[in-house]
């Protein structure tokens, strides 16, 4: 197979950039760039990782560390009648056993994304934020794994062993695990404050207009869809180390976090009730996250509280089963969706009703993910006159819902792309032709999708046509015949998508219900020796920030990226920022770096006038030096400027000495990457096994900082999406027990589960940041599930199959091959 | 029980519990934290080390059962800050790592494959993928790792440094 990236579409790219630049008045080019941005530089993080020398939370061993283990509920829903910890306290090495009674003055963990227009049902925190779950549950457990007690002991084994000596008496309560079931009359109730388990009824779009369009439509198609619950499964489970310093009264938390600043804010002010400036949060190397490590978890507070109580550092490292029963899970919508259109393939309306399963408690931002992030995206790449989405977000006896790579947008793309194929089948038109007919034309940008998003820029036709060409879509009938001759059923599935990224504009997000700013900042400090330190508020979970942000600064300043060192992840050292999520670091933190570098250049031009003895308008900054326009002999290098500014001699009063600037970047709006993927599957008639035999993806993430880094993210994202389509499923039984609670029972894609992908890109810069960047990291997770299921349905369509639920297991397909109903 | 292990060429004497796992001894007893723990069930491969030359999951081996053996961990592959092996260099050039948590286990596992094929036929792509079955990665989708192994095998067989212009590059057929 061929992996195509980068230069192969030079003409496409060039044409595209020119067109969109003209159409949108978009991203200005970096005026003094040295060309290192956009280059596939090797990741400078890699050697350390390859030698096993990076420090993850579990590798941190502070002197005197004690070890914490958490007792999670073995039942999904019950009243706690009593907890007896005496026997556990007597066991060897045990230092402390604590329950909810020990933490009555600790505030609950807050939920900071309440869907816009929805009231919080939970008691308020200071600063008006609603509480959501206690650090330990004292009265009623609501999911398997709900934390009840903790043990701190000298060794991890002693702590784990003592858990089984804690005696808890439960009075079982009835259990509900599905969102739509939870909303029915007489369903088990989870929270007294939330009658009927309904956390939010949330809508977007125009209901009347949509209903009217559907009522008069020539054709309507409907689907009932299950977007199954999945578990993100970073290979590093979460962990936390708390270290309280009694001498200074300061707390330090080392945690596997995507957003150390966010966790500092939420934990200090809102949970522990300690001054913001007494808590330092450090994210060491983080072993993958995909959304899950941005959330506030009880363990983060507990290690700090127990470190203070015991006068020793306290460390907790999760197990895989623990992770699966406590770390936020993803997706989980049950939907009824309708599409209306004309006989000749024009889509006139789309309507979705979705039951979203929030789990037992509102997670830090889960309710927003299940509503706005999903609902406002449902119309995808299409120019549709009327659209409406309603979400019933309900509580059930399952682990809390959160983000997952492509969150919200993947669920939206799945429903829309399934509908488009269903519609194409109904009117007997080619699915590609239907899509092409309905793409938002490039003249219409910025495009208001009628659901709350305004797409910034795009050339969907170019992107779509490239995907059709690269996948050899026209050649599929021949491939089908060839496969049939081998006894295989070949199916082709297309999925297009628009993914909202670049969260985000703080004011816009506040209207969405986000209780906090979502800007990002960067500081650049030029040292007297000419070396440069960049610090950013974002925090990598494997995205090579150290490499890419150095490229941004070096490109702007016209210096060698090797001169630039990047620091992040430690709230003591880094400027504020919200962290890495929703594919935002390169379109939020990198622009902050670029703008800061521009401030430095502007200052160096002013100071250069002094040093060169010429008027400011005669000073040119280029290639990492300043010189006199027309007289390049009169020059100062970057290193000379750095030293001169460090000394500060001869500077006029309006120019401060030293080179140290900070920018807080809050974009005017989101950015909207997009793309088209084509999956080709072969189904074995005998076994029902689905094999992905070819996969083509053409994504558009605007201007890209480091193609090598982005390539890796695209490949990983597609594999993640294929995982949902083919095998991943968090299965709860009728008692609320998570059956798939370890990696022997929860399937993740392995190396042989997909061949190399055929990849390409188009480039449509975003006008909403100075780099023209759009989100990239997780966008390719958005369409694969839809592409694969479309392909499977295509392969089975002659049997009358019109839909098949994920995961598309061999058993399901085998049954359909034999004519069984879904 | 009193045991001896040869770890990265050094004899280590200690007392182990009968139910102690090799990964616990390495990480907690000997402070060799390059070996990672990602699951409880021997599925993820983050804890792979070489035991008498063969790659094994150290979370599935009792320390006692390894007594007297030669153990090589990721720390034994290169010196701190030192030059990368051919495999590591090839993985670096293909960016076969992102968060890096699964990486030491992959390097230990794939090292055996690359070593075993240095004098014979290079492994085919399906063979590399089959070999990688015991290592889970959630970031990369494995493709850059597979390319890295192909590059490493090519380099070791051609006896040219990995990364020479003749090697596979992103954007070309692989």
């Amino acid at each position: 197979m061929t992996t195509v990236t980068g230069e192969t579409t030079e003409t496409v790219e060039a044409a595209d950039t020119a067109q969109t630049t003209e159409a949108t008045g978009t991203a200005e080019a970096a005026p003094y760039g040295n060309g290192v941005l956009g280059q596939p530089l090797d990741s400078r993080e890699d050697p350390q990782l390859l030698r096993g020398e990076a420090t993850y939370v579990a590798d941190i061993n502070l002197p005197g560390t004690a070890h914490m283990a958490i007792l999670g509920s073995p039942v999904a829903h019950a009243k706690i009648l009593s907890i007896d910890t005496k026997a556990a306290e007597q066991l060897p090495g045990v230092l402390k056993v604590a329950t909810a009674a020990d933490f009555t003055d600790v505030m609950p963990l807050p939920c900071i994304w309440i869907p816009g227009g929805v009231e919080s049902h939970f008691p308020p925190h200071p600063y008006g934020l609603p509480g959501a779950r206690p650090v330990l549950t004292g009265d009623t457990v609501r999911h398997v794994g709900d934390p009840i007690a903790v043990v701190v002991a000298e060794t991890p084994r002693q702590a784990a062993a003592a858990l089984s000596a804690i005696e808890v008496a439960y009075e079982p309560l009835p259990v509900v695990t599905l969102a739509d079931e939870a909303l029915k009359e007489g369903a088990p109730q989870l929270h007294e404050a939330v009658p009927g388990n309904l956390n939010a009824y949330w809508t977007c779009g125009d209901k009347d207009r949509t209903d009217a369009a559907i009522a008069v439509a020539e054709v309507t198609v409907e689907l009932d869809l299950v977007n199954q619950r999945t578990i993100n499964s970073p290979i590093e489970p979460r962990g936390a180390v708390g270290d309280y310093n009694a001498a200074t009264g300061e707390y330090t938390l080392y945690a596997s976090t995507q957003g150390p600043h966010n966790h500092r804010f939420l934990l200090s002010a809102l949970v522990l009730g300690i001054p913001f400036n007494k808590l330092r949060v450090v994210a060491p190397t983080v072993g993958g996250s995909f959304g899950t490590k941005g959330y506030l978890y009880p363990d983060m507070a507990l290690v700090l509280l127990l470190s203070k109580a015991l006068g020793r550092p306290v460390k907790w490292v999760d197990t895989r089963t623990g992770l699966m029963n406590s770390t936020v899970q993803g997706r989980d919508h049950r939907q009824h969706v309708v599409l209306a259109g004309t006989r000749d393939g024009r889509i006139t309306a789309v309507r979705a009703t979705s039951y979203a399963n929030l789990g037992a408690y509102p997670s830090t931002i889960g309710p927003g993910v299940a509503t706005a992030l999903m609902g406002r995206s449902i119309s995808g790449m299409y120019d549709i006159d009327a659209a409406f989405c309603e979400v019933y977000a309900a509580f059930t006896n399952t682990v809390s819902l959160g983000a997952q790579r492509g969150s919200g947008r993947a669920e939206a793309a799945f429903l829309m792309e399934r509908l488009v194929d269903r519609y194409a089948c109904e009117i007997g038109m080619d699915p590609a032709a239907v899509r092409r007919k309905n793409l938002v034309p490039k003249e219409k940008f910025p495009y208001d999708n009628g659901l709350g998003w305004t797409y910034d820029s795009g050339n969907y036709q170019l992107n779509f046509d490239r995907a059709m060409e690269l996948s050899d879509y026209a050649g599929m009938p021949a491939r089908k015949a060839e496969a049939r001759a081998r006894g295989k059923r070949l199916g082709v599935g297309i999925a297009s998508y628009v993914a909202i990224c670049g969260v985000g504009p703080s004011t816009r997000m506040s209207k969405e219900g986000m209780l906090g700013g979502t800007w990002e900042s960067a500081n650049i400090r030029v040292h007297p020796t000419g070396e440069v330190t960049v610090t950013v508020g974002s925090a990598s979970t494997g995205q090579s920030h150290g490499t890419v942000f150095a490229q941004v600064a070096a490109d702007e300043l016209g210096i060698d990226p090797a001169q630039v060192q990047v620091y992040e992840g430690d709230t003591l050292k880094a400027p504020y920022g919200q962290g890495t999520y929703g594919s935002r670091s390169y379109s939020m933190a990198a622009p902050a770096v670029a703008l800061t570098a521009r401030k430095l250049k502007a200052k160096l031009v002013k100071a250069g006038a002094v040093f060169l003895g010429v008027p400011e308008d005669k000073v040119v900054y280029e290639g990492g030096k300043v010189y006199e326009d027309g007289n390049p002999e009169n020059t100062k290098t970057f290193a000379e400027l750095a030293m001169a500014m460090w000394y500060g001699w001869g500077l006029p009063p309006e120019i401060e000495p030293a080179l140290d600037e900070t920018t807080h970047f809050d974009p005017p709006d989101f950015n909207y990457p997009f793309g088209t993927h084509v999956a080709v599957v072969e189904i074995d008639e005998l076994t029902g096994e689905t094999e992905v035999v070819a996969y083509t993806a053409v994504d558009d993430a605007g201007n890209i900082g480091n193609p090598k880094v982005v390539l890796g993210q695209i490949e990983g994202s597609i594999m993640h999406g294929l995982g949902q389509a083919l095998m991943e499923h968090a299965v709860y039984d009728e008692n609320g027990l998570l059956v798939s609670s370890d990696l022997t029972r929860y399937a993740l894609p392995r190396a042989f589960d997909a061949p190399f992908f055929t990849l390409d890109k188009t480039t449509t810069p975003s006008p909403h940041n100075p780099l023209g960047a759009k989100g990239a990291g997780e966008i390719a997770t958005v369409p694969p599930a839809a592409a694969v299921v479309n392909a499977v349905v295509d392969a089975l369509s002659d049997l009358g199959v019109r839909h098949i639920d994920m995961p598309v297991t061999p058993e399901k397909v085998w049954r359909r091959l034999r004519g069984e109903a879904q | 029980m009193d045991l001896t292990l040869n770890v990265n060429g050094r004899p280590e004497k200690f007392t182990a519990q009968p139910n102690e796992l090799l990964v616990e001894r390495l990480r907690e007893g000997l402070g060799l934290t390059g070996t990672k723990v990602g699951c409880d069930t021997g599925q993820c491969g983050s804890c792979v080390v070489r035991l008498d030359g063969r790659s094994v999951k150290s979370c599935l081996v009792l320390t006692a059962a390894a007594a007297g053996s030669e153990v090589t961990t990721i720390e034994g592959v290169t010196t701190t800050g030192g030059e990368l092996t051919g495999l590591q260099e090839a993985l670096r050039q293909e960016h076969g790592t992102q968060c890096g948590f699964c990486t030491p286990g992959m390097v230990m596992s794939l090292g055996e494959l690359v070593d075993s094929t240095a004098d014979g036929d290079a492994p085919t792509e399906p063979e590399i993928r089959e070999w990688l079955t015991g290592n889970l990665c959630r970031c990369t989708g494995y493709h850059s790792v597979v390319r890295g192994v192909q590059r490493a095998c090519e380099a070791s067989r051609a006896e040219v440094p990995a990364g020479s212009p003749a090697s596979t590059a992103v954007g070309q057929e692989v």
Side-chain angles (χ1 to χ4, degrees):
Chain A
M1 301 299 296
T2 305
T3 299
V4 184
T5 54
E7 292 74 34
T8 50
T9 56
E10 207 165 358
T11 51
V12 174
E13 255 185 273
D16 179 50
T17 306
Q19 286 164 10
T20 51
T21 301
E22 197 181 326
T24 59
T26 187
E28 52 189 275
Y32 307 112
N34 68 1
V36 299
L37 198 59
Q39 297 302 310
L41 301 192
D42 286 339
S43 171
R44 57 172 66 172
E45 284 90 335
D46 281 359
Q48 198 188 11
L49 300 173
L50 286 158
R51 286 194 291 255
E53 289 169 357
T55 302
Y56 300 82
V57 172
D59 306 332
I60 295 173
N61 290 305
L62 304 176
T65 293
H67 298 269
M68 182 177 92
I70 301 176
L71 177 67
S73 170
V75 293
H77 201 190
K79 276 203 180 312
I80 296 176
L81 300 176
S82 64
I83 306 177
D84 185 347
T85 61
K86 284 193 197 68
E89 283 158 8
Q90 305 308 314
L91 289 175
V94 171
L95 300 165
K96 186 164 180 69
V97 182
T99 65
D102 295 273
F103 303 114
T104 49
D105 55 345
V106 178
M107 290 174 278
L109 309 186
C111 169
I112 60 165
W113 195 358
I114 313 293
V118 173
E119 273 183 49
S120 168
H121 303 280
F122 295 88
H125 262 84
Y127 307 100
L129 300 190
R133 77 176 301 158
V135 291
L136 288 176
T137 300
D139 50 3
T140 304
V141 292
R142 296 183 176 87
H143 68 87
V144 171
D146 206 343
I148 298 168
V150 289
V151 175
V152 185
E154 294 289 350
T155 72
R157 278 208 172 206
Q158 288 169 337
L163 293 183
S164 55
I166 300 172
E167 289 180 23
V168 186
Y170 302 95
E171 179 188 316
L173 294 169
V175 170
V176 63
T177 62
L178 301 173
D180 46 347
E181 295 289 332
L183 296 173
K184 287 181 181 161
E185 189 83 31
Q189 298 293 295
L190 269 82
H191 299 278
E192 261 179 44
V194 190
N197 299 319
L198 183 65
N199 176 65
Y201 172 70
W202 178 94
T203 67
C204 67
D206 189 329
K207 183 171 195 310
D208 293 343
R209 188 183 176 89
T210 306
D211 287 347
I214 290 169
V216 301
E218 290 176 15
V219 185
T220 58
V221 289
E222 306 186 19
L223 283 170
D224 288 305
L225 303 175
V226 178
N227 206 300
Q228 86 273 27
R229 183 172 276 235
T230 56
I231 301 178
N232 240 343
S233 310
I235 304 301
E236 180 208 29
R238 293 188 311 99
V241 179
D243 186 20
Y244 176 72
N245 184 333
T248 62
E250 292 168 329
Y251 297 78
T252 302
L253 173 70
Y254 302 88
S256 45
T257 161
Q258 291 171 248
H261 289 286
N262 253 344
H263 279 131
R264 179 192 191 189
F265 167 60
L266 299 173
L267 272 172
S268 62
L270 299 174
V271 179
L272 304 176
I274 61 169
F276 192 85
N277 58 9
K278 295 267 185 179
L279 175 62
R280 172 188 178 194
V281 178
V282 182
T285 308
V286 176
S289 172
F290 318 111
T292 55
K293 291 174 180 169
Y295 289 73
L296 197 54
Y297 295 95
D299 42 87
M300 294 172 161
L302 289 167
V303 293
L304 292 169
L305 293 163
L306 289 164
S307 175
K308 185 177 185 184
L310 293 168
R312 297 170 62 170
V314 172
K315 175 174 172 176
W316 169 81
V317 178
D318 209 352
T319 61
R320 178 59 49 179
T321 296
L323 178 152
M324 290 186 151
N325 278 302
S326 67
T327 298
V328 293
Q329 301 177 348
R331 315 285 192 245
D332 208 346
H333 287 254
R334 293 179 159 243
Q335 301 166 322
H336 180 72
V337 297
V338 184
L339 180 145
T342 61
R343 283 261 156 239
D344 64 353
R346 165 65 64 188
I347 302 169
T348 55
V350 60
R351 185 177 67 200
T353 300
S354 196
Y355 297 89
N357 186 350
L358 293 183
Y361 303 94
S363 63
T364 317
I365 61 164
V369 169
T371 54
L373 214 46
M374 193 278 295
R376 297 198 192 282
S377 302
I378 63 167
S379 61
M381 269 198 189
Y382 311 111
D383 186 7
I384 303 176
D385 186 50
F388 176 72
C389 179
E390 59 185 350
V391 180
Y392 295 86
F395 292 117
T396 69
N397 297 112
T398 61
V399 174
S400 294
L401 190 78
Q404 170 159 157
R405 210 179 199 169
S407 56
R409 295 144 296 184
E411 295 91 300
F414 186 78
L415 84 84
M416 189 64 204
E417 294 303 302
R418 283 296 300 121
L419 271 176
V420 173
D421 264 32
R422 181 75 195 83
Y423 172 51
C425 174
E426 188 70 21
I427 60 175
M429 200 166 152
D430 186 281
V434 173
R435 285 181 171 82
R436 203 170 194 304
K437 184 165 189 159
N438 289 281
L439 296 174
V440 176
K442 64 177 191 289
E443 310 77 51
K444 278 204 168 183
F445 290 92
Y447 175 79
D448 178 348
N449 79 348
L451 290 160
W453 300 141
T454 302
Y455 301 161
D456 52 351
S457 61
N459 188 337
Y460 297 170
Q461 289 77 12
L462 184 76
N463 179 278
F464 188 82
D465 290 348
R466 181 63 184 150
M468 293 305 105
E469 179 196 338
L470 199 58
S471 64
D472 186 26
Y473 187 77
M476 290 302 166
R479 287 187 72 167
K480 283 187 181 183
E482 183 274 332
R484 186 53 66 96
R486 285 185 282 113
K488 301 269 179 144
R489 287 173 163 270
L490 187 139
V492 188
I494 306 170
S496 296
Y497 72 98
V498 179
I500 176 246
C501 288
V503 176
S506 297
T507 305
R508 176 72 181 80
M509 280 304 286
S510 77
K511 289 174 184 154
E512 215 57 81
M514 174 65 82
L515 303 168
T518 45
W519 42 267
E520 205 58 48
S521 72
N523 172 272
I524 301 181
R525 191 172 289 180
V526 182
H527 305 297
T529 45
E531 289 107 357
V532 173
T533 295
V534 173
T535 47
V536 291
S538 189
S540 170
T541 57
Q543 293 90 357
S544 295
H545 285 183
T547 308
V548 179
F549 294 151
Q551 285 179 261
V552 174
D555 188 84
E556 287 285 342
L557 294 171
I559 59 176
D560 183 343
Q563 278 174 261
V564 184
Q565 189 67 25
V566 177
Y567 289 100
E568 60 173 23
D570 182 343
T571 59
L572 197 64
K573 297 177 183 169
Y576 292 143
Q578 313 307 317
T580 293
Y581 59 89
S583 298
R584 69 194 290 278
S585 286
Y586 189 66
S587 59
M588 290 293 297
V593 174
L595 292 169
T596 307
R598 291 179 194 180
K599 285 183 187 171
L600 287 168
K601 282 189 296 194
K603 184 170 181 178
L604 284 173
V605 167
K606 281 189 193 304
V610 179
F611 300 139
L612 301 176
V614 299
E616 198 180 315
D617 62 2
K618 284 281 185 194
V619 179
V620 179
Y621 186 113
E622 192 178 66
K625 58 182 189 238
V626 293
Y627 59 86
E628 181 185 352
D629 195 12
N631 180 18
E633 307 287 291
N634 186 16
T635 185
K636 282 220 179 275
T637 65
F638 191 78
E640 288 169 337
L641 289 165
M643 191 64 87
M645 293 302 285
W646 171 262
Y647 286 137
W649 297 343
L651 289 174
E654 67 273 17
I655 301 178
E656 290 179 25
L659 290 167
D660 187 334
E661 298 286 347
T662 299
T663 303
H664 298 80
F665 179 64
D666 205 359
D669 205 341
F670 305 106
N671 59 66
Y672 297 85
F674 57 90
T676 300
H677 291 199
V678 183
V680 181
V681 303
E682 284 185 8
I683 290 174
D684 188 311
E685 293 261 14
L686 288 176
T687 65
E689 195 170 3
T690 299
E691 187 185 355
V692 178
V693 296
Y695 197 94
T696 304
V698 182
D699 298 289
D700 192 320
N703 293 334
I704 286 170
N706 184 321
K708 187 179 282 195
V709 168
V710 172
L711 169 66
Q713 294 173 351
I714 297 279
E715 289 176 332
S717 288
I718 294 171
M719 194 64 111
H720 200 130
L722 297 181
Q724 184 183 10
L726 296 172
M727 62 188 79
E728 296 188 38
H729 192 185
V731 179
Y732 286 88
D733 72 8
E734 67 278 11
N735 298 314
L737 181 73
L738 179 63
V739 177
S740 50
S741 64
D742 63 50
L743 293 177
T744 65
R745 290 175 288 184
Y746 185 90
L748 294 178
R750 292 179 184 270
F752 56 63
D753 283 316
F756 281 125
F757 306 141
T758 304
L759 305 176
D760 205 349
K761 62 176 166 123
T762 56
T763 303
T764 313
S766 173
H768 293 153
N769 64 75
L771 296 174
K774 296 188 176 189
E778 67 188 320
I779 59 171
T781 316
V782 174
V788 167
V789 175
N790 281 346
V792 171
V793 172
D794 178 50
L796 302 175
S797 61
D798 62 313
L799 302 173
V801 173
R802 294 292 172 265
H803 179 66
I804 189 161
D805 280 330
M806 297 186 290
V808 183
T809 58
E811 185 200 343
K812 274 187 202 163
V813 176
W814 187 87
R815 289 185 185 283
R816 301 302 285 274
L817 285 166
R818 276 144 192 81
E820 291 184 30
Q822 168 126 328
Chain B
M1 57 191 79
D2 294 333
L3 300 177
T4 304
L5 282 183
N6 266 309
V7 183
N8 300 330
R10 254 182 34 195
E12 302 279 359
K13 289 181 195 298
F14 50 85
T15 306
Q17 296 297 311
N19 61 354
E20 179 190 290
L21 300 171
L22 179 57
V23 69
E24 289 177 88
R25 174 54 47 185
L26 295 172
R27 285 185 54 86
E28 292 161 32
L30 302 174
L32 297 169
T33 55
T35 304
K36 305 300 180 194
V37 179
C39 71
D40 327 321
T41 52
Q43 293 291 305
C44 79
S46 301
C47 67
V48 171
V49 300
R50 304 274 283 268
L51 190 65
D52 292 330
R54 298 298 306 274
S55 48
V56 299
K57 290 177 173 169
S58 60
C59 75
L60 297 180
V61 177
L62 290 170
T63 305
S69 299
E70 297 279 343
V71 180
T72 308
T73 70
I74 189 73
E75 288 88 349
V77 170
T78 44
T79 54
T80 303
E83 255 185 52
L84 301 176
T85 64
L87 171 64
Q88 288 170 320
E89 178 61 24
L91 288 170
R92 185 180 77 87
Q93 291 184 16
E94 293 294 347
H95 190 39
T97 175
Q98 284 179 38
C99 83
F101 194 80
C102 71
T103 302
M106 282 206 179
V107 169
M108 298 313 293
S109 172
L110 291 166
E112 191 191 342
L113 175 67
V114 175
D115 290 353
S116 69
T117 57
D119 303 322
D121 291 337
T124 62
E125 187 199 321
E127 283 167 353
I128 296 168
R129 290 181 182 276
E130 195 66 35
W131 192 274
L132 262 173
T133 298
N135 295 82
L136 284 172
C137 172
R138 198 59 159 163
C139 294
T140 63
Y142 308 100
H143 297 351
S144 51
V145 179
V146 174
R147 286 194 295 267
V149 176
Q150 290 172 326
R151 181 190 273 262
C153 290
E154 196 179 315
S156 78
R157 290 158 55 76
E159 292 183 345
V160 295
S164 69
S167 302
T168 309
V170 172
Q172 295 180 347
E173 285 209 357
V174 288

